[in-house]
Amino acid sequence: MAIEKGAEIAPAKGKLGVLLVGLGAVSTTFIAGVEAIKQGIAEPIGSLTQMSTIRLGKRTENRSPLIKDFVPLADLGDLVFGAWDIFPDSAYEAAMHAGVLEKELLAQLKNPLQKIKPMKAVFDQSYVKRLNGTNVKEGQNKLEMAEQLMADIAEFKRKNKCSRLVMVWAASTEIFLKQHAVHKNLKTFEQAMRDNHKSIAPSMIYAYAALKSGVPFANGAPNLTVDIPALLQLANENNLPICGKDFKTGQTLMKTIIAPGLKSRMLGLHGWYSTNILGNRDGEVLDDPDSFKTKEESKLSVLEYILQPEVYPELYKDFSHVVRINYYPPRGDNKEGWDNIDIFGWLGYPMQIKIDFLCRDSILAAPIVLDLALFLDLAQRTGMKGVQEWLSFYFKSPQTAPGLYPEHDIFIQLMKLKNTLRHLRGEDLITHLGLEYYD
Ligand SMILES: NC(=O)c1ccc[n+]([C@@H]2O[C@H](COP(=O)([O-])OP(=O)(O)OC[C@H]3O[C@@H](n4cnc5c(N)ncnc54)[C@H](O)[C@@H]3O)[C@@H](O)[C@H]2O)c1
């Protein structure tokens, strides 16, 4: 049943443990950022939960509190971090290696970052071909690995005296997997774990362990992971919120900003060519065709859903959409993304838009991790379970209820997110009708 208007929300008392799978560029940029904000040397730029306001009631009422004052979110001072990675480097060493943040800033944060040492990962190279590490668990079968993760989770919670936990997948993109019969329900899934079935990827083992341990789960990569009936069943049975997939940053962020604008003006599209160069570890992993396929699927669907070629064949039928990612080490995390957009207007006259986005992937992703951790925790304290579609705003291929198409338009996603918060607090939803001002 849907959550009622003005539902009771349990207070955010005690510490919130944020468990990160993968202690790479995104995770370390996120942790370092939160520590810098805690120390008062940085602002939480890019984070809705920290900086955005929410309008309530009529425009004449002048009620626009900060989101964090409107809904009871965990305080940044109450966040503690844990992680798993296949490399044993501490968060400080991993951040230095990722090369996203300046050495001077990291030096100021060395103390808290050095204390974060990754737990041994559940890893299998057949799912991420370009990586190999030593900090990995061993076990008889996949169910046993999940049990080891559950023991890690319990131990982390006890040691850090957390009252609540959330888990976010920020590890490498796995190879493309399709839903398989073993994903059908929890019983078949658990049997497949015992049988070491190849359709159970490591990311699914983490998600299973989280949900078994009462921990909400967000998937920041395009892997199937928690987007299968068995794990949705487990989330529902255990009253846990889940969301995914693939943080919306960089080029796809731009696409979901620009495409709704073109469509709103009924401008046509002949084609959209996107190419990137990036040189971080993510780029290296995505250089493998099987991992890239997972990413490509996630990136390609966005325009189809926003532009609705079946509704507007004159404007969008058969437009060409190409996405390329090229691994180019000199750029490190500072990706460059080019878009060439061939549009047409009145009488079919063609025009072009060129975008050259000198973007910093992990700088865009870090505040998403923060918001997702805080909102998932809020959702759990509110009793929201299953797929959290209102968090679509943060994802390239938002998870939805089975059979429901995802909403990609970033402006609709934002409205959905804010209206959900208004609903939770018993406020009227905002429709932007506005006729009442002219009565
Ligand atoms: N803007 C962005 O950076 C962005 C946007 C969308 C999605 N993503 C996704 O987020 C993920 C992280 O990106 P990143 O730039 O931090 O990559 P990264 O390569 O720097 O970090 C990923 C880390 O995960 C570790 N890892 C891999 N498999 C693991 C496993 N099974 N268990 C534990 N650790 C494991 C790797 O060793 C690595 O340290 C990637 O899947 C990426 O595609 C990133």
Side-chain angles (χ1 to χ4, degrees), residues 24-26 85 122 170-173 206 220 246-247 249 281-282 295 361:
V26 171
D85 204 289
V122 172
S172 312
T173 302
Y206 284 95
D246 207 4
F247 302 133
T249 58
R281 193 180 278 153
D282 188 29
K295 202 50 141 184
D361 255 357

Side-chain angles (χ1 to χ4, degrees), residues 362-380:
S362 304
I363 294 294
L364 291 169
I368 295 185
V369 182
L370 174 62
D371 285 1
L372 286 174
L374 297 184
F375 279 146
L376 271 185
D377 172 50
L378 173 78
Q380 189 183 22

Side-chain angles (χ1 to χ4, degrees), residues 21-27 84-87 98 121-124 128 131 169-174 202-203 206 220-223 246-250 280-282 285-286 295 333 335 360-362 364-365 396:
V21 190
L23 191 57
V26 171
S27 293
W84 292 270
D85 204 289
I86 65 169
F87 300 109
V122 172
F123 182 73
D124 178 342
V128 184
L131 287 187
W169 175 274
S172 312
T173 302
E174 296 174 331
S203 63
Y206 284 95
N223 331 309
D246 207 4
F247 302 133
K248 177 150 85 176
T249 58
N280 57 14
R281 193 180 278 153
D282 188 29
V285 167
L286 294 173
K295 202 50 141 184
D333 198 65
K335 170 163 100 178
R360 291 174 192 262
D361 255 357
S362 304
L364 291 169
K396 280 196 199 73

Side-chain angles (χ1 to χ4, degrees), residues 251 274-280 282-284 287 299 324-339 356-361:
Q251 221 160 27
S274 303
T275 188
N276 291 277
I277 50 174
L278 83 161
N280 57 14
D282 188 29
E284 192 178 350
D287 207 35
K299 283 172 169 268
R324 296 273 177 268
I325 297 180
N326 302 291
Y327 177 52
Y328 179 62
R331 282 301 170 91
D333 198 65
N334 296 348
K335 170 163 100 178
E336 183 159 6
W338 291 272
D339 287 276
D356 182 0
F357 190 9
L358 289 111
C359 134
R360 291 174 192 262
D361 255 357

Side-chain angles (χ1 to χ4, degrees), residues 73-353:
L73 298 174
D75 192 84
L76 296 196
D78 287 331
L79 298 190
V80 284
F81 308 102
W84 292 270
D85 204 289
I86 65 169
F87 300 109
D89 300 353
S90 73
Y92 176 73
E93 291 157 339
M96 289 290 275
H97 178 265
V100 177
L101 302 175
E102 287 161 3
K103 289 191 181 70
E104 295 72 26
L105 175 64
L106 291 175
Q108 294 182 69
L109 306 167
K110 193 166 178 177
N111 235 342
L113 292 183
Q114 233 170 7
K115 286 191 195 133
I116 302 167
K117 303 242 165 63
M119 298 174 266
K120 282 193 173 170
V122 172
F123 182 73
D124 178 342
Q125 212 192 2
S126 30
Y127 298 87
V128 184
K129 302 209 174 105
R130 296 286 154 97
L131 287 187
N132 205 358
T134 53
N135 196 41
V136 294
K137 293 191 194 306
E138 281 176 23
Q140 289 297 317
N141 59 45
K142 295 182 179 183
L143 190 59
E144 203 186 296
M145 301 276 206
E147 281 157 5
Q148 291 183 37
L149 288 175
M150 279 144 71
D152 288 349
I153 295 169
E155 174 65 6
F156 178 87
K157 189 171 182 188
R158 192 190 59 74
K159 244 170 77 186
N160 291 282
K161 301 188 177 62
C162 295
S163 66
R164 291 132 23 238
L165 301 171
V166 293
M167 190 187 290
V168 181
W169 175 274
S172 312
T173 302
E174 296 174 331
I175 57 166
F176 183 65
L177 287 184
K178 279 212 168 92
Q179 255 191 46
H180 186 279
V182 299
H183 299 144
K184 204 171 93 201
N185 58 47
L186 204 50
K187 206 164 150 231
T188 53
F189 184 85
E190 284 175 344
Q191 187 55 44
M193 288 174 95
R194 275 185 216 103
D195 297 341
N196 277 329
H197 197 285
K198 63 177 183 333
S199 290
I200 309 284
S203 63
M204 293 174 186
I205 305 176
Y206 284 95
Y208 173 85
L211 298 175
K212 278 297 241 191
S213 308
V215 178
F217 185 91
N219 180 15
N223 331 309
L224 201 53
T225 312
V226 78
D227 197 4
I228 51 172
L231 292 177
L232 180 57
Q233 180 192 343
L234 183 55
N236 280 323
E237 280 176 14
N238 289 356
N239 290 319
L240 292 166
I242 54 171
C243 60
K245 306 177 293 235
D246 207 4
F247 302 133
K248 177 150 85 176
T249 58
Q251 221 160 27
T252 310
L253 172 66
M254 283 299 147
K255 253 175 210 165
T256 65
I257 292 172
I258 290 168
L262 296 175
K263 183 175 141 193
S264 71
R265 285 291 310 267
M266 291 285 110
L267 293 169
L269 182 75
H270 285 309
W272 195 313
Y273 179 83
S274 303
T275 188
N276 291 277
I277 50 174
L278 83 161
N280 57 14
R281 193 180 278 153
D282 188 29
E284 192 178 350
V285 167
L286 294 173
D287 207 35
D288 170 58
D290 290 335
S291 283
F292 176 66
K293 169 108 174 94
T294 314
K295 202 50 141 184
E296 191 184 27
E297 292 274 325
S298 165
K299 283 172 169 268
L300 280 179
S301 59
V302 169
L303 287 183
E304 290 281 331
Y305 281 114
I306 294 178
L307 299 175
Q308 296 179 290
E310 67 296 348
V311 181
Y312 303 107
E314 317 86 322
L315 300 173
Y316 305 121
K317 191 166 174 276
D318 298 331
F319 68 83
S320 153
H321 187 194
V322 179
V323 179
R324 296 273 177 268
I325 297 180
N326 302 291
Y327 177 52
Y328 179 62
R331 282 301 170 91
D333 198 65
N334 296 348
K335 170 163 100 178
E336 183 159 6
W338 291 272
D339 287 276
N340 170 71
I341 315 166
D342 287 299
I343 63 170
F344 57 93
W346 188 243
L347 308 178
Y349 275 70
M351 295 172 264
Q352 292 183 17
I353 303 173

